[in-house]
């Protein structure tokens, strides 16, 4: 270490601090080539007033659990092939009740192909596949209300 | 009464509406952008729906997304708060077509009052005093000169579609009228896509005094006293009080009754505010806001009414639960808008609130959605809370305000709290002697301090 | 008015007094034990003095230390809050000798009302209804039997020097009187060093209703309505409301005027509370508290008065600033005592507050000295805050209370907040149908839940 | 440590402390070449409502700065030989105005010997030396108001 302050990369620490703030992590530890840096922050986030005493409604439209959905589905949401909802509405798998679904688990899809319909304000909005691939996961149910940005499907 | 209300807003007003709903036993749906997923009212709501990305145009102003959110949650009414879609006649219209109640006046009343020229004509027709000026738009230079001479200099040229100070020019005398007209038209075109302007008397040292009115759409209407919102910076209100230190009881009664009568005649429904400039004992209509105001809590403090609960009741079809005789004014109230801004430069200061302690005790109300650990997003306005203080008289109110501001701790961001502590040291503020230019002058004179 | 007031207390009431002083422009001195060096009111006070170690007997009850703190700071008055030295006649006397004002009644009035037997005699003399019972102490078994027969069974045997339920025994009939007397005497001796007891009628299902009175020591006195404090656990009030759901306006006026008249006759000075048991339309004097009560904010909410400011004014020699005709009651208020206790077992829960978010909005007042990061010391009582909610009627008040409790977040320690949320679900609470035994029964019946 | 502890770079610690403050972190740990530095800060303490907006009175009786005194004088207060005030009052160094002080800097004292008087409620309370030794430091001034537990003197 000597007295050479240059051997201490202060910039690295600041960058780690930024990552910490951005990601909401509470601790980062990095070790490489004999250098080890650890930064931590006390979790003020847990002070947020969780609605602990408020009884949530019985979710008649299944929208109530939605706030947790993004967190629960986070791994899926962050996966490369995730298709997210571009709007609020009700997701439908087929063009009309009883007809065949646009896609199924394992279907091969082309970019631009309709994979789902989202109904909003009595309008049927076709949701195109953003890229070609195989339908690996379907993350919503037929007839389920979806929020903006909610993961719908994984196509890889 | 409604079963489930969707709150089409964010921040402290969304929380305000949520509280009123909860106290009436109404279920709540919070809609929010991706930037507001951790907002207090979202956490507290019975249900929440993410309606779009951070830009308001794609979320809080996104009518299809909000209507779709009503559909998937089964909300039977929408409270629009203030700003965003609260004065959007089309939104009110679309909700009506979808058989969803809009907590506000009729689309027609919103439309009339949203057009400055039509609003002024309507006010005049209803007996509300207006500032002398052109009856309609002014386009040519010759016409402008003629109108200005009739109105009397100094005159103000304003964009018909305007707001927030854009498209406004003063001409002190005839030499300045041509330039002022051209500039105002150009600015109006640039800001609002419409170069229509009109001319009115320019008032040198007016106060901004507004009358809170409330109607049930069935011919009943009352006034709930006035608010003095003269302390403004860049046409943004900073400090509001009720009642105004400038009015006496007779003046209050006269202008109040005029406004209430006008609203009864109009069959206006819900909360509304008729804004006036006040100078030398005369009121001059500026505009009418057909919605709840940011500063409504000072009126609640002196009347004991819950204006949001009343909005919900009237929107659900109830008649006014009180008459003018039931309204009495108790004591004095002041609201300070706590903004996430540098108190000297007014540069916005979004970021994480790392420490928070809000004042409490007798006569102190805080309306705020922030909490320790909350990150104030950079996408929206900088209002993060309102401190409302009530006292038996204005002096007690000022003393209590100073006490409460001294207890307020918000760490991690800049706020305007220090500004209010400075204001409380000014003799003009203590005496209630200020007009709409006072704050700008004060800030200019104290910039170096 | 005073220049500088020393606050001889701690916790939320010290902060309450500090706020009133600040709003009157009076400087404040906080005295504190070593355990309270970081308390909110100590941080906010103009000056602070450490007066002793954690045990109250060596700090908050240490008269020489408190008088010395007055001397070194030059305080010209002492506000004692409640508890500690607030009803200590000797303390009031010593302050008088040192020419320091005591914010409270005269030492003589404190002394009279501090002795249960003399208090009762005085009350009877002043026309205040008392519970039938022995005129003075009862010592022998024969005397006890005779008195009990006159009073009528069931009877209660109480320690003359008692309080907090110690030295109290019920005899349902003559068979039980001997044992009850002996037990009460033994407990009284052990708890208070004095085995004097007295006998009175035992009321089966009374409510605890107390009248807030206020005098100026110059012959003027008013009543400020009643508080219903029937919801108690181990003789500790848990929930207080004003006005009482059990009284009508005529009853209120009658008992109120009786009390006000008595206080005027006594030339009582400052705030006082005359506590009654109330059953079947009859009031029975229990005791008079010659100080501010914990639950004074509910009275402030319905009257609009600041009782601590009034205490300071009267102590400084002013006459009452209002007459009975000026007092009107608006709406309904409820106070919940937030204790750092397990809400099921009531085991105290001192420790660090790691997260805190207090409710806000219309009609909500929080009086609390805790803050994020504050450590609640284990040496004192468990009251850490009071939530006071005001509404236009009792129903609005209950709805608002539920809303506010739902927003309250205190992390790191147990609190009684969940208890209040459970209470709000009980039909008896919603209907206001409860007596002083209701809560104990409820807790017993729901212990397993 | 391997290296001479004098090569300890205090400047590095100060820099890390600064980064801590700037970034809002609560902990940083750096390890390199056998040197390990960890800096930490308790965050919750800073959330306490510091009376930042309240103008403190001009401390006529010198009691106002007292709340900070215990912290500032902490090293003295914790020293083995510290004599703390057993009461609130006004400290006097001599039995009467103008007379010789009980002790001075450098005085040898016996246990029980009066070293100061504290006046409270018009009573002069003699403060005895708790142990024998030399007066190393006098921490209050003659005529100064003192709080309970306030360090008065160091006798070693």
């Amino acid at each position: 270490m000597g007295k050479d302050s240059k051997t201490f990369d202060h910039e690295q620490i600041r960058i780690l601090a930024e990552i910490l703030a951005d990601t909401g992590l509470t601790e980062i530890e990095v070790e490489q080539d004999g250098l080890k840096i650890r930064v931590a922050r006390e979790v003020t986030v847990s002070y947020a007033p969780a609605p602990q005493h408020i009884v949530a409604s019985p979710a008649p439209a299944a929208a109530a659990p939605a706030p947790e959905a993004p967190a629960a589905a986070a791994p899926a949401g962050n996966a490369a092939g995730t298709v997210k909802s571009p709007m609020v509405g009700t997701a439908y798998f087929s063009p009309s009740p009883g007809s065949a679904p646009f896609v199924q688990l394992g279907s091969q899809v082309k970019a631009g192909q309709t994979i789902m319909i989202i109904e909003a304000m009595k309008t049927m909005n076709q949701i195109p596949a953003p890229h070609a691939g195989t339908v690996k996961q379907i993350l919503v149910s037929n007839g389920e209300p979806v929020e903006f940005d909610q993961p719908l499907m994984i196509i890889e | 009464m409604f079963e489930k209300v969707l709150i089409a807003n964010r921040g402290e007003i969304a929380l305000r509406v949520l509280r009123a709903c909860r106290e009436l036993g109404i279920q709540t749906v919070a809609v929010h952008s991706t930037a507001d997923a951790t907002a207090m009212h979202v956490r507290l709501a019975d249900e929440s729906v993410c309606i779009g990305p951070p830009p308001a145009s794609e979320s809080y102003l996104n009518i299809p997304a909000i209507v779709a959110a009503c559909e998937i949650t089964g909300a039977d009414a929408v409270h629009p708060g203030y700003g965003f879609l609260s004065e959007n006649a089309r939104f009110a219209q679309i909700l009506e077509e979808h058989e969803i109640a809009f907590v506000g006046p009729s689309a027609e009343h919103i439309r009339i009052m949203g057009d400055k020229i039509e609003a002024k004509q309507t006010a005049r027709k209803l007996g509300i005093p207006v500032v002398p000026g052109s009856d309609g738009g002014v386009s040519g230079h010759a016409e402008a000169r003629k109108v200005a001479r009739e109105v009397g200099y100094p005159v103000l040229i304003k964009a018909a579609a305007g707001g927030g100070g854009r498209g406004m020019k003063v001409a002190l005398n005839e030499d300045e009228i041509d330039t002022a007209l051209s500039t105002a038209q150009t600015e109006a075109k640039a800001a609002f896509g419409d170069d229509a302007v009109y001319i009115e008397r320019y008032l040198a040292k007016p106060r901004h005094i507004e009358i809170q009115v409330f109607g049930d759409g069935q011919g009943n209407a009352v006034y709930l006293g006035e608010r003095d919102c003269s302390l403004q910076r860049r046409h943004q209100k900073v400090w509001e009080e009720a009642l105004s230190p400038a009015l006496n009881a007779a003046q209050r009664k006269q202008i109040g009754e005029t406004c209430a009568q006008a609203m009864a005649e109009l069959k206006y429904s819900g909360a509304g505010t008729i804004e006036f400039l006040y100078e030398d004992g005369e009121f001059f209509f500026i505009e009418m806001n057909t919605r709840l105001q940011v500063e409504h809590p000072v009126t609640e403090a002196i009347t004991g009414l819950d204006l949001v609960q009343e909005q919900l009741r009237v929107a659900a079809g109830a008649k006014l639960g009180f008459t003018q005789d039931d309204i009495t004014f108790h004591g004095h109230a002041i609201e300070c808008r706590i903004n996430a801004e540098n108190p000297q430069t007014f540069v916005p200061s979004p970021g994480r609130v790392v420490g928070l302690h809000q004042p409490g005790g007798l006569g102190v109300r805080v309306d705020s959605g922030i909490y320790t650990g909350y990150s104030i997003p950079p996408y929206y306005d900088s209002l993060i809370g309102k401190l409302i203080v009530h006292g038996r008289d204005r002096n007690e109110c000022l003393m209590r305000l100073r006490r409460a501001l001294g207890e307020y701790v918000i760490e991690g961001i800049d706020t305007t709290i220090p500004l209010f502590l400075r204001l409380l040291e000014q003799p003009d503020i203590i005496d209630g002697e200020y007009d709409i230019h006072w704050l700008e002058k004060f800030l200019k004179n104290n910039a170096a301090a």
Side-chain angles (χ1 to χ4, degrees), chain A, chain B:
Chain A
M1 162 117 227
K3 296 200 118 186
D4 184 5
S5 70
K6 273 180 192 155
T7 59
F8 242 40
D9 198 341
H10 303 135
E11 204 42 48
Q12 288 292 359
I13 297 171
R14 284 181 191 275
I15 289 166
L16 289 175
E18 250 170 56
I19 296 173
L20 207 66
D22 287 353
T23 55
L25 291 172
T26 58
E27 196 175 328
I28 300 176
E29 194 171 326
V30 180
E31 195 170 352
Q32 191 174 29
D33 304 330
L35 171 67
K36 184 169 154 187
I37 302 179
R38 182 170 160 273
V39 293
R41 182 194 300 273
E42 264 196 37
V43 191
T44 44
V45 175
S46 73
Y47 300 179
Q52 51 194 72
H53 306 309
I54 304 292
V55 180
S57 75
E68 278 116 57
N78 293 333
T82 304
V83 183
K84 292 185 181 179
S85 176
M87 65 184 70
V88 182
T90 307
Y92 292 108
F93 292 174
S94 54
S96 59
S99 62
F102 296 109
V103 295
Q104 284 176 299
L105 219 55
S107 297
Q108 296 290 327
V109 297
K110 284 178 272 190
Q113 177 184 336
T114 297
I115 54 170
M116 210 178 265
I117 275 176
I118 294 182
E119 180 192 358
M121 291 182 71
K122 319 277 180 244
T123 308
M124 298 297 167
N125 303 282
Q126 299 185 346
I127 308 301
H131 54 264
T134 306
V135 177
K136 291 283 186 188
Q137 248 184 294
I138 299 177
L139 302 163
V140 294
S141 316
N142 190 38
E144 181 181 323
V146 295
E147 298 182 280
F148 173 80
D149 230 22
Q150 185 173 336
L152 303 173
M153 210 175 265
I154 298 177
I155 300 174
E156 278 174 353
Chain B
M1 183 46 83
F2 304 120
E3 294 273 312
K4 193 187 281 190
V5 168
L6 184 142
I7 303 164
N9 215 301
R10 64 177 303 282
E12 67 86 18
I13 197 62
L15 180 61
R16 172 72 189 90
V17 173
L18 181 139
R19 284 169 168 164
C21 289
R22 185 142 288 162
E23 292 174 10
L24 287 171
I26 300 171
Q27 294 205 331
T28 51
V29 179
V31 294
H32 61 90
S33 74
T34 50
D36 281 335
T38 60
M40 171 90 87
H41 75 282
V42 176
R43 290 164 174 271
L44 290 175
D46 295 304
E47 299 172 48
S48 70
V49 180
C50 180
I51 52 166
S57 58
E58 296 172 55
S59 49
Y60 299 107
L61 293 170
N62 183 345
I63 295 177
I66 291 169
V67 174
C70 288
E71 288 173 340
I72 67 169
T73 57
D76 53 356
V78 171
H79 196 301
Y82 51 68
F84 294 135
L85 296 172
S86 63
E87 292 179 291
N88 186 313
R90 203 178 124 248
F91 181 55
Q93 189 65 47
I94 289 171
L95 287 178
E96 197 184 312
E97 285 159 13
H98 283 75
E99 296 183 341
I100 299 163
F102 175 74
V103 182
S106 67
E108 178 62 8
H109 287 158
I110 297 174
R111 195 192 55 70
I112 291 170
M113 294 302 172
D115 180 300
K116 295 219 169 198
I117 293 171
E118 196 173 345
K120 195 170 163 183
Q121 285 167 345
T122 306
R124 191 185 288 125
K125 223 182 308 169
L126 292 167
I128 295 171
V130 299
V131 70
S134 59
D135 285 333
V138 170
S139 51
H141 286 245
E143 191 190 350
R145 266 194 299 276
K146 179 167 167 289
V147 169
R149 224 172 285 151
E150 284 164 16
V151 166
Y153 284 97
V155 298
L156 186 65
I157 305 179
K158 289 170 95 171
R166 287 172 301 176
M168 273 197 195
K169 289 292 149 197
V170 174
L172 293 176
N173 51 53
E174 199 154 75
D175 295 345
E176 298 181 9
I177 189 81
D178 285 2
T179 315
L181 179 71
S182 307
T183 316
Q185 284 174 326
T186 310
E187 281 193 20
K189 180 79 184 168
F192 312 109
D194 177 1
D195 70 356
V197 297
Y198 62 103
I199 293 181
E200 60 183 32
R201 169 97 59 76
Y202 174 68
L203 301 167
K205 291 166 70 72
R207 299 180 79 110
H208 174 116
I209 295 181
E210 59 187 34
I211 309 293
Q212 175 71 53
V213 291
F214 211 98
D216 61 8
Q218 303 175 51
N220 304 303
V222 295
Y223 70 95
L224 302 175
E226 79 278 7
R227 293 182 289 260
D228 197 318
C229 314
S230 303
L231 289 172
Q232 303 187 358
R233 182 182 165 273
R234 300 203 177 161
H235 299 277
Q236 294 294 314
K237 295 164 188 167
V238 165
W239 156 310
E240 300 102 343
E241 51 188 303
L243 300 166
S244 169
L247 293 197
N248 62 37
Q251 292 171 306
R252 175 167 305 122
K253 189 163 189 283
Q254 198 190 2
I255 189 70
E257 284 179 352
T258 301
C259 290
Q261 219 164 349
M263 291 305 108
E265 198 179 323
L266 198 63
K267 286 202 161 52
Y268 184 81
S269 177
T273 298
I274 306 178
E275 296 192 329
F276 293 96
L277 290 179
Y278 172 84
E279 195 166 86
D280 295 333
E282 275 189 290
F283 287 91
F284 305 104
F285 175 82
I286 313 171
E287 62 174 353
M288 176 165 179
N289 294 325
T290 53
R291 53 161 168 89
L292 196 67
Q293 304 274 96
V294 176
E295 59 271 25
H296 75 278
V298 292
T299 300
E300 295 182 324
I302 61 161
T303 61
L305 291 170
D306 184 325
L307 290 185
V308 182
Q309 284 195 13
E310 297 303 331
Q311 283 188 301
L312 290 162
R313 283 199 188 95
V314 162
K319 289 197 177 187
L320 268 196
F322 42 84
T323 66
Q324 193 65 54
D325 288 343
D326 297 323
I327 310 292
T328 46
F329 305 121
H330 294 280
H332 192 89
I334 298 175
E335 172 181 284
C336 293
R337 296 194 189 190
I338 313 296
N339 288 346
E341 290 172 359
N342 182 294
Q344 302 270 347
T345 62
F346 298 96
V347 172
S349 174
R352 187 176 289 269
V353 176
V354 299
L356 176 67
H357 195 88
Q358 292 173 327
L362 179 59
V364 173
R365 167 179 173 184
V366 176
D367 274 32
S368 174
I370 67 171
Y371 52 85
T372 308
Y374 174 68
S375 269
I376 296 155
Y379 309 103
Y380 312 104
D381 74 45
S382 58
L383 181 72
I384 55 167
K386 305 185 304 202
L387 171 64
I388 304 103
V389 165
H390 185 236
R392 272 171 300 171
D393 52 41
R394 190 166 184 274
N395 185 54
E396 180 172 297
C397 191
L398 289 170
M399 293 296 280
R400 186 162 288 154
L401 179 57
R402 183 160 60 185
R403 185 275 285 176
L405 286 165
E407 292 178 14
Y408 221 135
V409 177
I410 303 178
E411 289 178 347
I413 54 167
D414 285 338
T415 78
T416 45
I417 291 171
L419 168 67
F420 295 114
L421 284 160
R422 279 167 71 209
L423 289 180
L424 281 170
E425 291 165 4
Q426 307 308 314
D428 285 347
I429 299 293
I430 292 165
D431 298 340
E433 289 287 343
Y434 52 78
D435 59 45
I436 62 167
H437 307 299
W438 189 94
L439 183 59
E440 296 271 11
K441 269 186 234 157
F442 170 77
L443 292 171
K444 205 173 144 196
N445 294 340
N446 292 271

